[in-house]
Amino acid sequence: MGVILDIKNLNQKTILLSEKKTILQSLAENNIDWMQACGAKGRCTTCKMIILEGEEHLSPLTESENKFLVQQRLKPHERLACQAMPLENENIIISVKVPKIYQLPHIEYQD
Ligand code: FES
């Protein structure tokens, strides 16, 4: 199986995450549109995910995520898709949802 990302408010879409790749890279490989205003440089927070389950299976916060946390632009249980990657390659499900403010206008989200 591997590490599965379950995007709850996107029709519960599930994708397999690649090891040593950011979640944003895996989303792109699976043709899932995701907001990324700074081009995955960790500067904008628009690729933010709310982590509902499985947070402990993600890589530690990066320097830019820690900076946003201090600035309160990132809350606990939120991660940047362009920074976080799966820690291990086991049979795990990481559940997330796309925050309302960063939902893309051409996609229908459930929440
Ligand atoms: S795309 Fe800008 S912080 Fe991730």
Side-chain angles (χ1 to χ4, degrees):
M1 188 170 112
V3 184
I4 303 286
L5 183 76
D6 175 12
I7 312 163
K8 289 288 182 198
N9 60 351
L10 194 58
N11 291 319
Q12 298 204 314
K13 176 90 182 155
T14 55
I15 62 163
L16 190 61
L17 294 178
S18 301
E19 252 189 306
K20 301 195 174 74
K21 283 189 182 168
T22 66
I23 290 182
L24 195 63
Q25 287 169 323
S26 290
L27 287 164
E29 282 172 6
N30 285 273
N31 297 316
I32 296 178
D33 290 344
W34 202 268
M35 203 179 279
Q36 44 185 298
C38 73
K41 294 192 176 78
R43 292 192 193 142
C44 70
T45 77
T46 62
C47 65
K48 190 189 286 188
M49 319 172 278
I50 300 169
I51 314 285
L52 305 170
E53 201 185 309
E55 195 176 356
E56 65 277 19
H57 302 295
L58 291 173
S59 53
L61 291 169
T62 63
E63 201 177 308
S64 58
E65 288 178 302
N66 271 317
K67 186 188 74 188
F68 287 131
L69 200 62
V70 171
Q71 295 172 350
Q72 298 185 340
R73 290 175 66 188
L74 209 57
K75 297 190 197 113
H77 313 298
E78 290 180 347
R79 293 294 305 266
L80 300 180
C82 74
Q83 303 291 300
M85 44 178 91
L87 260 188
E88 55 234 283
N89 200 9
E90 286 173 22
N91 295 343
I92 291 158
I93 295 179
I94 298 172
S95 300
V96 303
K97 70 179 192 176
V98 185
K100 271 213 160 39
I101 48 164
Y102 295 138
Q103 294 180 355
L104 292 165
H106 65 288
I107 295 180
E108 202 175 305
Y109 300 86
Q110 283 76 50
D111 169 32

